[in-house]
């Protein structure tokens, strides 16, 4: 396989606007972007096992006139530790860096023209939707109680319990339209669309940029009301909440301890800050450090970190055993990671939350939401938290 990378400006005439990454992905492409920075692709040049991806990309015969850009692949990793994962190499991939540099990579003489032509906006449609519970609410409430009791008994320090719902439409869900709605409401999140998995995650699992490593774990949640004064009061309560602080500290310590053996140093915020998105507020702590050289690829770090205590629990193996025993459904890609990697091992990966998995015919979407359970958790309060988290994708999907 061979690839060519050139500045995007070489393919865009002066009288045309630079296409948005959302539009390049459209309804059938691939997207991973935050605040306009990221990658989008159309077509499939190859699918590669995730653990072989860096070496596979490095072996491509690549000609580039854009400094620092190497071939990239995009994909997701399931929740279950060690589960198989495959990355897609788009036939045409368009990227934008934080410094404003934009480029296009084509594989095996693929023609980028179609990918760079914005799609026509679909006409609004009146669609009927129904929302169903994939597992009974009673099953979820019992699972929360079981996790709480295990923590109180000293068997765990935290377990994350989730529940799925389904949204069924009488017409196929238009992915491009969903992505535009997510951009409008969740532009500061990591928005993604890969093989029927679409969403907007606020949580950076890990990013490798040369020797620099970053992570931004989130744990601890409260709703937003739309009233600034009320939201500020809820944020103050969230910071003061012993239950949420315990949940957050477990996540921070685990991510720190996992990354530290690869790092020459690793720094983090002394106190968690409030991370606000359209529908909820989280406690978050930024981490940044330098990797010892030669360092690991971002894929190695993704494998080491998954599933994080923010989506699994602690101790990891005991929490996963409890989850699989009491939740009553298979998580699949929910709670894993989604992102990209290049031929040097650099990449950005977000935790796969605030997402929907579409059926092949796009008439059904499965949504999953969960929360961390500690000794002070109460089942009905946890149910309310999941209801707040579901709103992110429901507001983007449902257009009656």
């Amino acid at each position: 396989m061979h690839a060519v990378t050139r500045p995007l400006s070489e393919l865009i005439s002066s009288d045309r606007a630079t296409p948005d990454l959302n539009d390049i992905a459209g309804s059938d492409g691939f997207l991973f972007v935050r605040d306009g920075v990221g990658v989008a692709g159309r077509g499939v040049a190859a699918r590669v096992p995730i653990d072989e991806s860096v070496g596979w990309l490095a072996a491509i015969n690549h000609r580039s006139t854009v400094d620092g850009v190497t071939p990239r692949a995009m994909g997701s990793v399931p929740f279950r530790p060690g589960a198989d994962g495959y990355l897609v190499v788009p036939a045409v991939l368009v990227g934008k860096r934080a410094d404003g540099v934009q480029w296009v990579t084509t594989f095996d003489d693929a023609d980028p023209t179609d990918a760079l032509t914005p799609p026509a906006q679909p006409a609004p449609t009146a669609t009927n939707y129904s929302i169903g519970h994939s597992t009974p609410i009673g099953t979820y409430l019992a699972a929360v109680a079981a996790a709480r009791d295990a923590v109180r008994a000293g068997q765990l320090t935290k377990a994350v319990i989730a529940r799925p719902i389904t949204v069924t439409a009488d017409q196929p869900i238009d992915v491009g339209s969903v992505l535009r709605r997510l951009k409008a409401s969740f532009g500061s999140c990591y928005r993604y669309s890969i093989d029927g998995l679409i969403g907007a995650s606020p949580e950076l699992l890990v990013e490798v940029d040369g020797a620099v490593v970053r992570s931004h774990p989130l744990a601890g949640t409260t709703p937003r009301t739309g009233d600034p004064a009320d939201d500020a009061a809820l944020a103050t309560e969230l910071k003061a909440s012993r239950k949420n602080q315990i949940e957050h500290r477990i996540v921070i310590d685990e991510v720190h301890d996992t990354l530290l053996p690869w790092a020459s140093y690793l720094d983090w915020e002394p106190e968690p800050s409030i991370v606000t998105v359209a529908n909820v507020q989280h406690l978050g702590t930024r981490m940044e450090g330098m990797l010892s050289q030669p360092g690991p690829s971002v894929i190695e770090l993704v494998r080491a970190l998954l599933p994080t205590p923010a989506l699994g629990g602690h101790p990891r193996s005991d929490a996963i055993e409890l989850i699989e025993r009491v939740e009553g459904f298979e998580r699949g890609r929910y709670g894993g990671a989604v992102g990209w990697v290049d031929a040097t091992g650099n990449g950005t990966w977000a935790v796969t939350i605030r997402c929907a998995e579409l059926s092949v015919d796009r008439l059904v979407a499965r949504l999953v939401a969960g929360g961390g359970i500690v000794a002070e958790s109460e089942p009905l309060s946890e149910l309310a938290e999941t209801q707040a988290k579901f709103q992110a994708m429901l507001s983007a999907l449902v257009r009656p």
Side-chain angles (χ1 to χ4, degrees), residues 311-333:
L311 272 298
H314 186 78
R316 179 186 295 178
S317 59
D318 294 333
I320 292 173
E321 187 278 329
L322 181 139
I323 288 168
E324 294 182 340
R325 176 163 49 84
V326 303
E327 268 191 344
F329 74 102
E330 176 62 41
R331 288 191 176 185
R333 291 185 284 179

Side-chain angles (χ1 to χ4, degrees), residues 148-173:
R148 178 201 61 197
D149 293 346
V151 173
R152 290 178 176 176
Q155 300 166 6
L156 302 168
T157 53
K158 172 185 175 179
V160 177
I161 299 299
R163 68 185 182 99
I165 62 173
T166 57
V167 176
T168 303
D170 64 357
Q171 298 183 52
I173 295 167

Side-chain angles (χ1 to χ4, degrees), residues 25-153:
S27 291
D28 301 308
F30 308 93
L31 178 72
F32 186 85
V33 62
R34 177 178 181 267
D35 288 334
V37 175
V39 289
R42 301 296 300 275
V44 177
R47 292 186 183 273
V48 187
I50 185 171
D51 298 308
E52 302 172 15
S53 59
V54 175
W56 193 93
L57 292 167
I60 292 174
N61 179 12
H62 181 229
R63 179 167 54 87
S64 176
T65 56
V66 182
D67 289 341
V69 176
T70 63
R72 298 187 179 192
M74 307 165 65
S76 61
V77 183
F79 168 80
R80 188 187 296 272
D84 291 340
Y86 290 85
L87 305 188
V88 62
V89 181
V92 179
L93 184 143
V94 179
K96 182 178 181 181
R97 293 196 308 227
D99 61 6
V101 171
Q102 295 176 278
W103 73 93
V104 58
T105 300
T106 53
F107 294 85
D108 285 349
D109 301 320
D111 184 355
T113 305
D114 291 341
L116 299 179
T117 301
Q121 300 291 327
T125 58
T127 304
N128 292 317
Y129 298 87
S130 62
I131 299 176
H133 298 287
S134 301
T135 58
I137 294 297
T139 299
Y140 169 76
L141 296 175
V144 171
R148 178 201 61 197
D149 293 346
V151 173
R152 290 178 176 176

Side-chain angles (χ1 to χ4, degrees), residues 368-391:
V368 183
I373 310 304
V374 293
E376 298 177 10
S377 297
E378 293 299 333
L380 292 179
S381 296
E382 297 299 327
L383 177 65
E385 182 175 318
T386 63
Q387 290 170 333
K389 290 176 175 177
F390 277 132
Q391 295 308 310

Side-chain angles (χ1 to χ4, degrees), residues 7-19 116-117:
L8 184 61
S9 58
E10 291 184 2
L11 300 174
I12 303 295
S13 60
S14 58
D15 60 344
R16 282 183 57 192
T18 301
L116 299 179
T117 301

Side-chain angles (χ1 to χ4, degrees), residues 293-320:
Q293 296 299 307
S297 73
V298 71
I299 298 301
E300 292 176 83
L301 297 182
V302 167
R303 286 296 202 187
L305 287 165
L306 285 181
T308 76
L311 272 298
H314 186 78
R316 179 186 295 178
S317 59
D318 294 333
I320 292 173

